[in-house]
Amino acid sequence: MNGTPRKQVGLFVTCLVDLYRPVVGFAAIALIERSGPFTVVVPDAQTCCGQPGYNSGDKESALAIARQVVQAFEGFDHVVVPSGSCAGMIKTHYPELLAGDPAFAARAKALADKTYELTQFLRDVAQWDGVYSEFAQTVTYHDSCSSLRELQVKKQPRELLAKVGGLKFKELPDSEPCCGFGGTFCVKFPDISNRMVEDKVANIEATGADVVLAADMGCLLNIAGKLKRKGSKIEARHVAEVLAGMAQDSAIGEGQ
Amino acid sequence: MQSTSHLFKDNAARALNDAHLQQALTHVRTKFITKRQDAMDALPEFDALRDAARDLKNHVLSRLDEYLVEFEGNVVKNGGRVHWCATPADARKTILDICRTAGAKTVTKGKTMVGEEIGINDHLAANGIEPIETDLGEYIIQLRNEPPSHIIAPSVHVTRDQVEATFRKIHTDLDPNRNLTEPSSLLHEARVKLRGRFLVADVGITGANFLIANTGSTTIVTNEGNGDLTQTLPRIHIVLAGIEKIVPSLQDAGLLLRVLARSATGQEMSAYTTFSTGPRRPGDVDGPDEFHVVLVDNGRSKLLGTEFEEMLRCIRCGACLNHCPIYHNVGGHAYGWVYAGPIGAITTPALIGIEHASPLPEASSLCGRCEQVCPVRIPIPKMLRHWREEAFERRLHGNRARWALKAWAALATRPALYRLAMRVGVGVLGMLGSRRGRFSSLPLAEAWTRHRDLPAPQGRTFMAMYRGKK
């Protein structure tokens, strides 16, 4: 690596990681910096990616937030997001959202081109396979809809998890349907959302795994909330915690 | 058809608690999906065909007027007639006039969703003409006095037991002790009942999967052959179709046929693919004396050139319904109008007005599976968002959600204030929830905690911890 200039990576923490699970942010920083000649920077001017407004028809709010994110992150070599849906928002939706704004259209496109979901960055950009963490549990993995269908990320988290010492991986049956989170969907249509997460949790239980991992806090809060309501012993964690060897905190929804 | 789309939430609640419906829907959730996947796996060029199908439909939409006029010219050349109907009322009147002129008493029908759109059955019945559905699924729901719940499987919401009960209730002239336990015995009974009706019908109405501009032909695909009997036995054949069904040539129809059945049922081709080109010619052994094509606009042309134009690519295969987790749980009737599932959620607001259907575009987690399987690559989630924007602009959802979104945006565009607010909020929630790690109920969070716990935050925001460490 000597002589290679270190690249600046902007970390878009996401509002849910910021609010719910700061350990994921630290895990992401550790992983990015281990994966290559990268220096992670966390800009202060970050809040939310704008999905609540964008997906609820409030385009004006979404635009204001999108412009703020473009300004805060356009200066980095890469931008990494520990969430498929927020990465998808920046990567696939910002260029469309800002297409009609001459001051921002090209900048949104440029930002989109260098923005990655965390596991996607680690594999596709850093081409990293130096995971050396240990996690002696049986795990299954939930693909978020955005990772799967907006970003075509499926093999990356599995390749990374395959390197974790002691980890036994069980593929989730019928893994492609939505878990029922869907942002505001889960509170606008709670009874339909509940049937969806019931199905998801039943499939998770069928794997016999101790832990379910995912790369989206929205899905994880939904799935963990349902598992705990059912009294299940299965834990839910963000995949970054396990990859970085930082899975010592209580799992999502577990007491301290 | 009277819409209840504005009551989606009530409809959905009923559907979730309907044990028969839930049992019937398991078929959609499993078989349709694996069959389509198998068909795709067996055809390596499937995705390339989807691209070609998308491009073809886009081309047609860009020159819709020219192709429609070319189609009319060729229908007339073949001895048929084309009727241009801007509204459902125009189409109903046109069809009733044709039936009356023919002195029709009964009309057999092949499957047509546009027929549902314009409410043709009720209109004919109200005017003393009996419509008889001949597709097995349509026949079943006609006996049950229900609308279809799926584009290609209209009675998918009905269980075998319910079909048996319906047949016993309606077919009172048959032996009450007959054995109807096997699906094949139900099929046989419907076949016997329908056979006589085919022979006496004066008019046959079918839909069209494609209208072929350079030959003036119309195409239907069926698995039962009922469409052929509907259009060849009566004296008059009426084809009822939306204007977007046009394709330039037979070759183009061939392209769409290759993706249609595979996407719909996982078949390579439907059992019957029938092309009709005008009335019976001298020397033909069968065919109708008159051939009419009723072209329905009903709001479609207004979508051209708008952000909603792409929905006109739809070839009505039903794949988006088959892969939709919302449809899987509530079925088709909850959507409250003719078209259900993802395509229904974007089409219904276009055809009856967003003000009458505003819950439909909301009722999606935007999971994107519909777009993933669409044979003509309609970006359904994008269209759902467009409808949500329209509903938001027109303030169709009340003020509470509106102010919540505006307040969130106001905070999110002021990072320093946001950090402070989040630090305080998360601190309080984290403290309250630290022992158990979750909440089983919380003020303002009932919609979440009704069915699941709300995990508690870890207690400090990432931004506060990160700054503390720096």
Side-chain angles (χ1 to χ4, degrees), chain B residues 146-272:
Chain B
E146 290 175 328
S149 69
H150 188 290
I151 293 174
I152 62 151
S155 65
V156 76
H157 60 283
V158 186
T159 62
R160 197 217 61 88
D161 290 356
Q162 289 176 304
V163 177
E164 179 180 343
T166 300
F167 279 16
R168 288 194 188 282
K169 190 172 138 203
I170 307 286
H171 299 159
T172 47
D173 54 327
L174 299 176
D175 177 7
N177 297 316
R178 67 196 185 279
N179 185 347
L180 287 177
T181 43
E182 289 303 313
S184 58
S185 54
L186 293 167
L187 181 64
H188 179 73
E189 182 162 318
R191 186 192 186 92
V192 168
K193 281 280 167 193
L194 281 169
R195 204 35 77 124
R197 313 308 300 265
F198 281 123
L199 294 169
V200 301
D202 307 293
V203 174
I205 299 178
T206 66
N209 291 91
F210 313 110
L211 307 169
I212 296 157
N214 73 348
T215 64
S217 311
T218 67
T219 315
I220 55 169
V221 301
T222 72
N223 278 319
E224 298 161 19
N226 63 303
D228 293 18
L229 295 176
T230 301
Q231 67 184 44
T232 50
L233 292 176
R235 286 178 287 128
I236 295 169
H237 177 201
I238 301 175
V239 178
L240 179 56
I243 53 171
E244 83 286 10
K245 286 286 188 279
I246 200 100
V247 294
S249 69
L250 284 169
Q251 199 178 356
D252 298 315
L255 167 64
L256 296 178
L257 283 167
R258 294 189 77 194
V259 294
L260 175 60
R262 287 182 170 90
S263 300
T265 54
Q267 293 166 286
E268 290 181 353
M269 288 283 279
S270 303
Y272 297 84

Side-chain angles (χ1 to χ4, degrees), chain B residues 301-353:
Chain B
S301 59
K302 270 195 307 203
L303 301 174
L304 290 167
T306 72
E307 63 221 310
F308 296 112
E309 178 177 306
E310 289 176 280
M311 77 172 73
L312 295 175
R313 289 206 296 264
C314 179
I315 57 173
R316 305 282 189 258
C317 70
C320 60
L321 285 67
N322 297 342
H323 289 76
C324 176
I326 316 303
Y327 183 91
H328 288 166
N329 281 296
V330 303
H333 289 157
Y335 291 80
W337 198 60
V338 175
Y339 300 102
I343 192 67
I346 60 174
T347 304
T348 306
L351 299 192
I352 70 171

